[in-house]
Amino acid sequence: MIAPFARRALKTCATLLIVLTAARAHSSDGTATSTSVMKYSDDSPPVREIVARNNQEIQAFAYSHDGKSIYLAINDKAINLWEVTVYYWPEVLGALVGLSTLACLLRIVRIRRAKRLVGEPYCRKCNYCLRGTTSERCPECGHTSTRVVIGRSMKRRLMPTMMVAVMFLGGYGFLWAAKTPRTGLMSSYLNWWSYDLCEWAASRNQNWLQNRTQRVARVVEIDAEAGQETRTVYTAAGRFDGDVIRQSFFSSPKSSHVAIQLTDPVRWIILNPASGRVENCVEGCDVPASYGSRLHEIIGFDSTGENLFGIVINETTEKGNIIAWNTRTSELSAVLECEAESDWVRKGKTRFTTSIFTYIPHSSPARFVENRLYRGIFSRDSKLLIRDSAQPTKTKKGPRSALEASGGNGPVLSSDGRRCFGCKISQAGYSLMQIDLETMHERRLAMYPDRMSPTFVFNPADQTVGDLLLIVGSTWIRSQKGVTKSSKNPTKGLLLFDLKSAKWRDFYPLPDDDGVLGTALAPDKRSVAVLAFRQENPNKYKRQLFLYDISELPDELDMTKLRSSVVAPTSQQSSN
């Protein structure tokens, strides 16, 4: 029985050694050293990539108010060192008690060998008897000291060391006799996350450590100029609750606060990125029963940044409500009722529907744009509705288009909240449309460039745009018969449209054939961030963040540049 226990004790001591090594790799204030978690790749401008670890998944991002930093919401994997230490407390404490007892035994042996006469002076260094010596220098070793050791009895000299040894052994024996559990309240007392240990356990196939791996939600700050991770703003157990359509990370109008939706349990958190403090939090139990019992999704901040809009679901009645949460006073109020969750998931036998709400800036009382998407096996359609909290039973219907008004990520509004942008398909091709939210009249701004089909328009920072409209599109090939067909390897990229001059400004192709989750324009309008994902295998997607330098933006898009990015089809593809 002693041999297995000794092996486990040695393994635990080795774990502690790795823990101390990993802890020294980071400074006390949380700033990363040269082994940064996030950094720019070696790509040169105009495109750079934020490189993350294998376990990390970039869920969302937002620029700071001054544009010098980028906040990333990351789903990560880590090991709580405190929980591991508490779980293996018999081995860890047994190793410490064994080492302490061994030290006490060595101390006892040393005391037993250094015999002294009671009341006689002795050298503090070599234990030489200084009786009759008038000088402060020891005649044996030459040590000079004004304080000498007065000899005591052997019992009095051994008593302190023996009491320490008995205390360690007695305490450890008491914990064993009390059958102290390995898990419990003490396991969650502290959070001491180690990401290096998690990677080490995965690379060495240490199953006893991999079983302790947990999902961790992190918010990190990236220097937009250097691409280095400057600090970890927030860390919590769980993960960001969001998917391709619904985001879980929203920034206030001036980026002074961010709203986060976390799971296990589902909760909304208001975080101050500057200080890293959680200033407010709400869970499903805090919501009045008449509104709902389950937090569903966050819509976003209002124009003042004080109120956060979100949707809660009443699981009893299957009704949804849009609520306003005052992040300062923690007051909750119902704004308007929306459709039941069951209607959002499925409607009919072959048609699915999803409703995405966007707050209209500067509207009082609050008004929302509802983009209702219908997706079937062979068809796709959408409806644009205006929902007013002052008249919750009335809706204003917008124009219907063959494609979604935003491609499935929420309507994109102008900064004044009067216009909405989308795309429409016709026999002539794809058109960029502008919809007046007051009259619901649509107007064509421009035709999309030749061989280009839009994917969606989206800004995850505040879902409003200024002068530049960011559109992600795919290049297409037009055959001789006039039928538009996609090429074998279509090129996806970022289109920039100037709302003032009503011209296409430039096109930036993505490095790989990636799908795009969101885009954002920096406050200084010198760079654009694109969050994309690429399928590495059938069960794994890798998310990447690309930054494009648009400081030298041309006055108008060069069509030759756009056509050169398309791979010409082969004769067999043209015939097909």
Side-chain angles (χ1 to χ4, degrees):
M1 293 179 63
I2 299 179
F5 182 84
R7 285 196 298 267
R8 297 182 69 177
L10 290 175
K11 185 184 292 186
T12 306
C13 293
T15 303
L16 291 176
L17 182 61
I18 297 173
V19 166
L20 294 176
T21 305
R24 291 177 61 186
H26 298 272
S27 60
S28 58
D29 58 351
T31 304
T33 58
S34 58
T35 58
S36 177
V37 178
M38 295 283 182
K39 66 181 183 64
Y40 276 144
S41 62
D42 297 332
D43 300 332
S44 58
V47 57
R48 288 183 293 181
E49 176 190 356
I50 296 290
V51 180
R53 286 182 175 178
N54 294 330
N55 293 332
Q56 294 176 339
E57 178 184 329
I58 303 176
Q59 184 70 21
F61 71 99
Y63 276 100
S64 61
H65 180 59
D66 54 5
K68 296 181 180 179
S69 301
I70 302 175
Y71 299 113
L72 297 181
I74 302 173
N75 285 331
D76 206 344
K77 291 182 180 180
I79 295 177
N80 190 352
L81 301 177
W82 174 258
E83 182 182 355
V84 173
T85 305
V86 172
Y87 183 82
Y88 291 102
W89 74 263
E91 293 80 13
V92 174
L93 198 57
L96 295 177
V97 169
L99 293 175
S100 302
T101 305
L102 180 60
C104 291
L105 291 176
L106 294 176
R107 175 69 176 171
I108 291 174
V109 172
R110 183 179 178 183
I111 292 175
R112 293 284 297 179
R113 288 181 177 179
K115 296 182 180 181
R116 296 172 184 173
L117 297 176
V118 178
E120 296 295 338
Y122 287 86
C123 177
R124 188 174 293 273
K125 184 177 182 181
C126 66
N127 201 42
Y128 180 77
C129 183
L130 301 177
R131 182 177 53 184
T133 304
T134 59
S135 175
E136 295 181 354
R137 180 183 294 272
C138 175
E140 180 71 17
C141 65
H143 178 68
T144 303
S145 176
T146 58
R147 296 178 58 191
V148 295
V149 178
I150 304 299
R152 297 181 299 171
S153 64
M154 186 64 67
K155 183 179 178 179
R156 292 187 60 185
R157 292 172 62 191
L158 293 176
M159 186 60 67
T161 306
M162 295 181 65
M163 289 181 62
V164 171
V166 170
M167 182 180 64
F168 279 132
L169 293 173
Y172 186 67
F174 174 78
L175 293 177
W176 265 107
K179 297 181 179 180
T180 305
R182 292 176 179 264
T183 59
L185 183 62
M186 287 297 296
S187 299
S188 57
Y189 184 73
L190 291 176
N191 288 325
W192 189 10
W193 304 108
S194 175
Y195 310 98
D196 298 330
L197 185 60
C198 182
E199 289 190 354
W200 179 85
S203 61
R204 299 297 180 89
N205 294 326
Q206 299 292 327
N207 295 328
W208 66 283
L209 277 177
Q210 286 183 319
N211 295 334
R212 318 307 302 176
T213 302
Q214 299 183 27
R215 291 184 178 272
V216 178
R218 302 174 60 211
V219 177
V220 300
E221 183 181 7
I222 302 293
D223 189 343
E225 183 66 26
Q228 292 288 336
E229 177 183 344
T230 56
R231 63 189 177 101
T232 298
V233 179
Y234 177 73
T235 304
R239 64 188 302 271
F240 290 102
D241 186 14
D243 50 26
V244 175
I245 294 180
R246 294 180 174 86
Q247 301 296 319
S248 57
F249 187 81
F250 290 85
S251 176
S252 62
K254 294 185 178 181
S255 300
S256 58
H257 295 83
V258 292
I260 304 171
Q261 178 166 328
L262 297 176
T263 59
D264 302 325
V266 179
R267 58 199 184 275
W268 296 345
I269 293 176
I270 302 299
L271 179 67
N272 188 340
S275 62
R277 293 171 46 195
V278 177
E279 298 192 351
N280 212 333
C281 179
V282 63
E283 298 184 6
C285 58
D286 302 328
V287 181
S290 58
Y291 298 163
S293 56
R294 180 166 59 88
L295 302 178
H296 183 63
E297 65 174 290
I298 298 177
I299 297 177
F301 286 93
D302 63 356
S303 300
T304 62
E306 293 186 2
N307 296 316
L308 180 70
F309 297 106
I311 298 178
V312 296
I313 301 296
N314 192 325
E315 295 182 347
T316 304
T317 61
E318 293 187 352
K319 295 292 184 180
N321 283 287
I322 298 179
I323 63 171
W325 175 33
N326 192 307
T327 58
R328 293 187 178 180
T329 62
S330 301
E331 295 181 358
L332 294 170
S333 58
V335 178
L336 57 88
E337 184 176 311
C338 51
E339 292 191 20
E341 185 186 19
S342 58
D343 293 336
W344 293 1
V345 177
R346 185 177 181 87
K347 191 173 184 179
K349 295 183 179 181
T350 59
R351 297 176 65 85
F352 296 82
T353 177
T354 302
S355 293
I356 302 174
F357 292 85
T358 303
Y359 169 74
I360 299 179
H362 311 292
S363 61
S364 182
R367 300 171 66 212
F368 301 88
V369 177
E370 178 183 358
N371 192 25
R372 191 172 297 177
L373 309 178
Y374 298 91
R375 300 187 180 217
I377 300 177
F378 302 105
S379 61
R380 184 172 60 174
D381 202 354
S382 68
K383 288 183 180 179
L384 203 64
L385 307 175
I386 302 296
R387 305 292 302 275
D388 194 340
S389 59
Q391 299 176 339
T393 58
K394 296 183 179 180
T395 59
K396 185 185 294 184
K397 296 183 180 180
R400 298 184 61 176
S401 59
L403 291 180
E404 301 98 314
S406 64
N409 291 86
V412 176
L413 308 179
S414 59
S415 56
D416 56 5
R418 298 179 180 178
R419 297 172 295 170
C420 175
F421 305 99
C423 58
K424 190 173 184 179
I425 187 172
S426 62
Q427 294 182 354
Y430 293 96
S431 303
L432 178 62
M433 306 300 296
Q434 171 184 294
I435 301 173
D436 192 323
L437 297 181
E438 294 295 333
T439 62
M440 282 300 179
H441 291 162
E442 59 179 359
R443 182 171 68 90
R444 178 185 297 173
L445 295 178
M447 294 291 295
Y448 279 89
D450 187 24
R451 301 186 293 187
M452 176 64 64
S453 68
T455 304
F456 61 78
V457 186
F458 184 51
N459 187 332
D462 53 10
Q463 291 183 301
T464 58
V465 296
D467 299 334
L468 289 177
L469 196 61
L470 309 179
I471 304 170
V472 178
S474 302
T475 54
W476 291 62
I477 297 297
R478 189 177 297 275
S479 65
Q480 296 179 355
K481 297 181 180 180
V483 180
T484 303
K485 296 182 179 180
S486 61
S487 61
K488 184 178 181 180
N489 297 313
T491 302
K492 296 182 181 179
L494 183 68
L495 274 169
L496 274 70
F497 184 80
D498 194 337
L499 294 174
K500 284 188 175 181
S501 61
K503 293 181 180 180
W504 299 102
R505 297 291 297 273
D506 208 349
F507 172 75
Y508 296 92
L510 289 173
D512 299 310
D513 187 16
D514 297 351
V516 178
L517 298 175
T519 60
L521 182 65
D524 57 1
K525 298 181 181 181
R526 297 179 61 87
S527 63
V528 172
V530 178
L531 180 60
F533 68 95
R534 181 176 71 251
Q535 186 175 5
E536 294 185 340
N537 55 59
N539 298 322
K540 184 178 180 181
Y541 290 86
K542 181 181 179 181
R543 298 195 179 193
Q544 302 164 289
L545 185 66
F546 299 101
L547 274 77
Y548 292 86
D549 185 6
I550 60 170
S551 57
E552 299 179 359
L553 201 63
D555 295 334
E556 192 170 358
L557 173 64
D558 186 3
M559 297 301 298
T560 306
K561 175 183 176 182
L562 178 61
R563 293 189 178 95
S564 63
S565 63
V566 183
V567 179
T570 61
S571 58
Q572 183 179 359
Q573 292 175 348
S574 301
S575 61
N576 292 333

